[in-house]
Amino acid sequence: MKIIPVIDLKDGVVVHARQGLRERYQAINTALCKSSDVFRVIEAFLGVCKFDTFYIADLNAITDQGNHKQLISEVLTRFPQITFWIDQGYRKYDEAAPLPGNALPVLGSESYRNETVSEIKAYKNNFILSLDYSNANALGVPSLFSDPTFWPENIIIMTLERVGSNHGPDLNKLTEFCRQYPDKNFIAAGGVRNKQDCVLLSETGIHQALVASALHSRTIKSEDIAEISGKKIPR
C-alpha cells in the first residue's frame, strides 16, 4: 500500500476538504501543521514520511474561479525530487506547453462534457483519470465511466462525500472496479481513516490511496506507513 498525501488549494492556501462541500472548506490548522501555507504543509507531510508522490487539487481551477498556476509552478520547482499529480479541472491538451517532468496531469470526470471528452485521447494515456462520484452519482460525462478505451493504467475512484468524513472508504465500489477491470490500477480517494482501512483496501486489490485528514489528525503515523508499505520508510 502506498499513501499519497493530498493538498487542496483554494484562494491561495491549503484547505481542509470535507465531503465535497467546497464552499465550506476552511484553511488547514491541524495537529500536523498549524499553517495553511502550501510549502509548510508539504514539509509537514515530509516530516511524517519521505513521500515521493503528492496529489494537488487546484479547487479554483476546478470550479472556474481562477487558478494557482504560478503557486503550483513554484512547488514543482522547489521539490524537483517529488512527483506531483495535479488536478486543475478541464484542460485542453497543449503539445506546445508540456508540464514539467515532475508533474502528471489528473483529468477529473466532473470537468469533462460530451463535447470535450474526446480531447482526453490526445494525452495518449500519459495522465491519471479521476472518476468522480458524489452521493453515489457519477459526475461528468457518462462515457468516461462506461468506456474503458478512455482509461489510462492509473485511475482514481473519488468518492467526494467520504472525503474528510471519517466514514471509511467505499469498499464496495472499489471492489467492484477491481473485479471488473483487473488490468487497471485503481486508487482510493475519500474516507481513508487509519491503518486498518489501508489493510482492507489492500485486501480488495487497491494498493494506492489518496490521504489528507488521517495524516493531519495523525491517525496514520510514520510507523503505520512503514508497516503497510512493507518496508522501512526513511525519515
Side-chain angles (χ1 to χ4, degrees):
M1 173 59 68
K2 180 176 181 175
I3 298 295
I4 299 167
V6 173
I7 293 174
D8 290 290
L9 290 174
K10 181 181 177 183
D11 300 335
V13 299
V14 180
V15 295
H16 191 176
R18 293 180 186 272
Q19 299 177 287
L21 303 173
R22 291 166 178 157
E23 68 280 1
R24 302 183 186 178
Y25 290 1
Q26 299 296 315
I28 283 289
N29 182 355
T30 69
L32 180 69
C33 188
K34 299 298 183 184
S35 172
S36 59
D37 174 80
V38 64
F39 300 102
R40 297 280 295 276
V41 173
I42 292 172
E43 293 290 0
F45 280 141
L46 292 174
V48 176
C49 172
K50 297 303 181 187
F51 297 106
D52 62 8
T53 306
F54 281 69
Y55 170 98
I56 296 179
D58 184 341
L59 299 177
N60 288 80
I62 291 169
T63 58
D64 294 319
Q65 300 179 65
N67 62 69
H68 295 86
K69 286 184 179 179
Q70 182 59 40
L71 182 58
I72 290 172
S73 177
E74 292 173 12
V75 168
L76 294 172
T77 299
R78 189 173 301 188
F79 299 97
Q81 77 282 11
I82 295 173
T83 297
F84 290 92
W85 298 356
I86 302 174
D87 187 345
Q88 293 176 300
Y90 167 72
R91 62 167 99 190
K92 188 176 180 66
Y93 181 76
D94 185 354
E95 197 172 60
L99 286 170
N102 62 328
L104 191 62
V106 175
L107 307 183
S109 64
E110 69 168 311
S111 299
Y112 283 82
R113 301 294 178 262
N114 289 323
E115 60 270 23
T116 57
V117 68
S118 62
E119 297 172 12
I120 285 178
K121 293 191 175 181
Y123 284 86
K124 299 178 180 178
N125 295 327
N126 190 30
F127 70 100
I128 294 170
L129 176 65
S130 180
L131 294 179
D132 305 323
Y133 291 85
S134 180
N135 297 315
N137 296 316
L139 301 179
V141 61
S143 59
L144 267 181
F145 295 83
S146 60
D147 185 355
T149 64
F150 284 109
W151 296 3
E153 180 182 354
N154 298 302
I155 303 164
I156 297 167
I157 305 300
M158 176 73 72
T159 49
L160 288 168
E161 74 273 11
R162 299 200 179 217
V163 171
S165 69
N166 203 36
H167 292 161
D170 190 337
L171 291 172
N172 291 334
K173 184 182 274 90
L174 291 162
T175 299
E176 185 61 18
F177 270 106
C178 289
R179 185 189 68 79
Q180 289 192 48
Y181 307 100
D183 60 322
K184 298 297 184 182
N185 176 44
F186 292 104
I187 302 154
V192 176
R193 300 165 293 187
N194 48 40
K195 181 179 72 173
Q196 183 58 30
D197 280 342
C198 294
V199 172
L200 291 173
L201 286 170
S202 184
E203 290 173 352
T204 69
I206 301 292
H207 301 297
Q208 291 177 290
L210 303 184
V211 178
S213 296
L215 292 171
H216 279 286
S217 65
R218 300 185 187 275
T219 57
I220 292 181
K221 303 182 178 69
S222 302
E223 53 268 31
D224 299 321
I225 296 170
E227 185 174 342
I228 62 179
S229 69
K231 62 183 180 181
K232 183 177 177 60
I233 301 294
R235 296 289 302 280

